[in-house]
Amino acid sequence: MIAYAIRRILLMVPTLLAIMVVNFFIVQAAPGGPVEQMISKLAGNEVSATQRVTGGAGELAPGAAPSAADSSGGSRYRGSRGLDPAFIKELEKQYGFDKPPFERFLLMMKNYLTFDFGNSFFRDRRVVDLILDKLPVSISIGLWTTLIVYLVSIPLGIRKAVRDGSRFDVWTSGVIIVGNAVPGFLFAVLLIVLFAGGSYLSIFPLRGLTSDNWASLDWPHRALDYFWHMALPIAALIIGGFATLTMLTKNSFLDEINKQYVLTARAKGLTERRVLYGHVFRNAMLLVVAGFPAAFIGILFTGSLLIEVIFSLDGLGLLGFEAAINRDYPIMFGTLYVFTLIGLVLKLVSDLTYMMIDPRIDFERRAA
């Protein structure tokens, strides 16, 4: 197992590099980069030709402006007409675009090896600090949502497999299908209308992860306040998460229940509980365990994006969305690097968990 884990860790390096290369050059080819974003903000302003970039990213020297008489019609940036070419060069230098793309990529990856993601172009803060500030919000949403989905879906899927074809199986399948058909963001809006001061009740708060006076509360009331704020966002996320896992659990158990070793165990006089949880459970849960990293990553980095926006939760999803809109490349590539690395590590953890649950699985022998 140790040798297999070492090989997988070594394979993470080219995988991570390939993902970063593809995304880097796709983003570089897209129009509307940070220089164009800054030029568009300056459009229509009168600035002097002696202007230069000072202070934080995107901040201009007070009173400085390009000469309206100067024309940069030959510039490759849209909207730069009338701006001093020297000022455009200063902007490129400020954002690192004075170097060729390949050189910029090598420099970026060299810094990323030490988790130095640089400073945000438009927030004037270190990207690491921004990620650390937003990470607890996204982790809270992802962990609680994944935990609740697994705690409900696995027992429900086992129950449906045991009572396959019964009235319980039919009506729960109907409820699951309806829940899966409702988009999470649409259900979030419905929850706001019903329970967060929309048109009916005003039971739950609409914004933030905690109340303004959270720091002054004692620990029991802090916990209650936290779960009070998390109730609606988590409910909106889990509504569609039950279907896949529940049906996966049910089908896995049905497949194992119909195998010969189960009939043999029953013929030996073992109780149904012993057969189900002593023999079937270990084999049937392999597929469920394998899906955990994908489910967690999906909830943490993808599914929570719109939920964070709707409920004004300042997490990684909202941070990445705003960075993409503003072409804030350090945040975009920094978060991509972190997300990809976490995903690769969780995939390795999933495979190692496979081997611990069922010793018959030997990835090392398959690799050989």
Side-chain angles (χ1 to χ4, degrees):
M1 180 183 294
I2 296 177
Y4 171 75
I6 293 174
R7 283 200 301 270
R8 283 291 302 273
I9 292 173
L10 293 177
L11 282 174
M12 288 181 186
V13 177
T15 303
L16 182 60
L17 181 62
I19 293 174
M20 296 301 297
V21 167
V22 172
N23 283 274
F24 179 84
F25 286 101
I26 288 177
V27 170
Q28 299 299 314
V35 176
E36 289 179 330
Q37 292 278 337
M38 181 55 64
I39 290 174
S40 67
K41 292 180 180 180
L42 296 171
N45 295 338
E46 290 188 4
V47 266
S48 73
T50 58
Q51 176 181 29
R52 62 188 182 86
V53 179
T54 60
E59 294 183 3
L60 304 175
S67 172
D70 289 330
S71 174
S72 55
S75 174
R76 58 193 176 94
Y77 300 110
R78 267 188 301 180
S80 62
R81 184 177 180 82
L83 294 178
D84 185 1
F87 168 66
I88 301 296
K89 294 292 185 182
E90 284 292 331
L91 277 180
E92 290 180 337
K93 184 177 181 180
Q94 179 69 35
Y95 294 122
F97 283 82
D98 56 332
K99 302 180 180 67
F102 185 70
E103 184 179 344
R104 279 187 278 130
F105 177 78
L106 291 180
L107 180 61
M108 181 184 75
M109 294 307 300
K110 178 183 177 182
N111 293 331
Y112 280 15
L113 291 176
T114 58
F115 292 91
D116 178 12
F117 304 123
N119 293 333
S120 167
F121 284 162
F122 302 107
R123 291 174 179 255
D124 197 22
R125 289 187 60 192
R126 295 174 65 234
V127 175
V128 171
D129 295 336
L130 286 170
I131 292 176
L132 293 178
D133 285 347
K134 315 300 181 184
L135 194 59
V137 177
S138 296
I139 288 181
S140 295
I141 297 173
L143 282 179
W144 285 115
T145 302
T146 307
L147 180 63
I148 293 174
V149 167
Y150 268 72
L151 288 178
V152 174
S153 296
I154 292 177
L156 181 60
I158 295 173
R159 185 72 170 174
K160 286 171 66 63
V162 173
R163 302 182 61 178
D164 183 41
S166 66
R167 183 177 298 179
F168 172 81
D169 182 37
V170 172
W171 76 260
T172 52
S173 295
V175 172
I176 289 173
I177 291 172
V178 171
N180 189 50
V182 178
F185 71 90
L186 186 61
F187 188 64
V189 174
L190 177 63
L191 291 176
I192 291 174
V193 171
L194 294 177
F195 303 111
S199 301
Y200 297 93
L201 303 176
S202 183
I203 300 175
F204 296 98
L206 180 59
R207 303 174 63 88
L209 197 62
T210 56
S211 299
D212 294 336
N213 63 336
W214 186 82
S216 63
L217 300 175
D218 55 16
W219 283 109
H221 287 90
R222 285 187 182 185
L224 289 174
D225 181 79
Y226 169 77
F227 287 112
W228 182 46
H229 282 76
M230 291 292 290
L232 294 188
I234 290 177
L237 278 172
I238 65 177
I239 185 66
F242 292 121
T244 302
L245 186 58
T246 300
M247 299 310 297
L248 177 63
T249 304
K250 176 189 174 182
N251 294 332
S252 297
F253 269 78
L254 282 177
D255 185 55
E256 293 296 325
I257 286 173
N258 294 324
K259 289 185 177 179
Q260 184 63 41
Y261 76 89
V262 176
L263 299 176
T264 303
R266 286 170 175 168
K268 290 182 178 180
L270 297 180
T271 63
E272 190 67 20
R273 184 178 183 85
R274 178 69 181 277
V275 171
L276 192 62
Y277 292 100
H279 296 274
V280 176
F281 184 83
R282 185 178 66 178
N283 296 325
M285 287 302 294
L286 289 175
L287 288 176
V288 177
V289 171
F292 176 81
F296 180 74
I297 290 295
I299 292 172
L300 186 59
F301 302 131
T302 307
S304 63
L305 169 59
L306 290 175
I307 302 302
E308 289 182 11
V309 175
I310 291 172
F311 289 99
S312 300
L313 300 174
D314 197 10
L316 286 175
L318 185 58
L319 176 67
F321 174 75
E322 293 177 347
I325 295 297
N326 296 322
R327 300 295 196 273
D328 199 337
Y329 289 170
I331 294 180
M332 291 173 61
F333 292 119
T335 53
L336 174 65
Y337 183 86
V338 173
F339 295 170
T340 305
L341 192 59
I342 293 176
L344 293 172
V345 171
L346 286 180
K347 182 60 179 175
L348 174 60
V349 171
S350 175
D351 289 345
L352 295 179
T353 307
Y354 251 141
M355 299 171 68
M356 288 187 288
I357 292 178
D358 192 346
R360 294 173 299 175
I361 298 177
D362 190 350
F363 290 108
E364 295 185 51
R365 186 174 299 174
R366 289 186 181 183

